[in-house]
Amino acid sequence: MPRLLRPADFAGDAPAVAQALIGAVLLVDGVGGRIVETEAYDREDPASHSHSGPTPRNRAMFGPPGRAYVYRSYGIHWCLNFVCREEGHGAGVLIRAIEPVAGIPVMCERRGLHDLRLLCAGPGRVGQALAIVHDYNGHRLDLKPFEVLASDRHHDVVVGPRIGISKAADVPWRFGLAGSPFLSRRFPASAAIIRA
DNA sequence: CGAACGATTAGCT
DNA sequence: GCTAATCGTTCGA
């Protein structure tokens, strides 16, 4: 039985937590799967929502680690982040893609398709498939409806630049499960691989 | 108060 | 590969 991640497990800096989350299982009301893609963001990072300090939108990022930061993207999608580091810092990990494992029929219904590869391949798609709502903003990740189960196997992790940002576009803070078909996009051929 | 801009996605060429 | 859709947040006047 995998270990349930608790707030202390999110106390590391954003890139370290983002890498450690690859292979972990994320469930929301028992629906979800294996995390195969994440991105790290930090206060000292021009691409981060937290870069200019606390605002009404990003306040959860400055709260205690081990909680959710949920924001609306492009006025359309709900995206899920895990707050990390320490309270007041403003660091987080964006959940960009998961491999569907539990509650697949429910996720297909929510997404209106049956292609497993596209079910949760992107932060907006993850939000829709797991029914992420703004009410979850600031919610603890070790309490209902969330469950985050530690990765129990070692695997290779790909590292590359983050997607969809204009500032700090060269910072390699995107992490992926090497070879996974459930990524939101392929990593550049030049992307480094960390053997874990 | 106005305006630009997204941590995106679906659909079409 | 390219673009429209869509609207809350943020920042400058």
Side-chain angles (χ1 to χ4, degrees):
Chain A
M1 191 70 180
R3 186 172 64 89
L4 182 72
L5 294 184
R6 310 269 288 118
D9 294 303
F10 297 90
D13 64 24
V17 172
Q19 182 186 327
L21 283 170
I22 298 300
V25 169
L26 164 63
L27 301 174
V28 180
D29 278 324
V31 174
R34 186 184 195 204
I35 297 172
V36 297
E37 184 181 339
T38 58
E39 280 179 359
Y41 290 90
D42 188 84
R43 173 68 187 265
E44 312 305 320
D45 165 19
S48 175
H49 288 170
S50 62
H51 183 60
S52 297
T55 66
R57 172 175 72 156
N58 66 21
R59 74 190 189 291
M61 280 189 89
F62 291 89
R67 302 199 184 201
Y69 163 47
V70 177
Y71 74 93
R72 191 119 124 132
S73 175
Y74 287 85
I76 305 168
H77 314 285
W78 292 109
C79 296
L80 174 66
N81 296 253
F82 295 169
V83 178
C84 55
R85 215 149 149 152
E86 72 273 356
E87 183 165 8
H89 185 86
V93 174
L94 173 66
I95 307 303
R96 284 197 58 91
I98 68 177
E99 173 183 336
V101 174
I104 291 176
V106 181
M107 292 193 283
C108 286
E109 170 131 18
R110 289 169 178 163
R111 294 270 299 116
L113 45 50
H114 300 282
D115 186 339
L116 289 188
R117 290 201 179 209
L118 294 177
L119 206 52
C120 308
R125 291 165 172 164
V126 168
Q128 187 179 20
L130 303 199
I132 299 301
V133 291
H134 193 239
D135 286 352
Y136 297 154
N137 194 39
H139 199 101
R140 282 178 61 149
L141 296 169
D142 58 333
L143 299 177
K144 275 197 335 182
F146 292 105
E147 287 173 87
V148 187
L149 307 169
S151 176
D152 51 359
R153 293 190 185 181
H154 291 283
H155 35 242
D156 290 353
V157 173
V158 205
V159 187
R162 295 170 292 182
I163 292 179
I165 54 173
S166 56
K167 302 164 197 162
D170 53 333
V171 175
W173 279 3
R174 176 184 178 217
F175 301 86
L177 179 63
S180 172
F182 300 97
L183 300 174
S184 67
R185 289 175 57 175
R186 303 200 71 86
F187 278 75
S190 58
I193 294 184
I194 300 173
R195 294 195 63 90

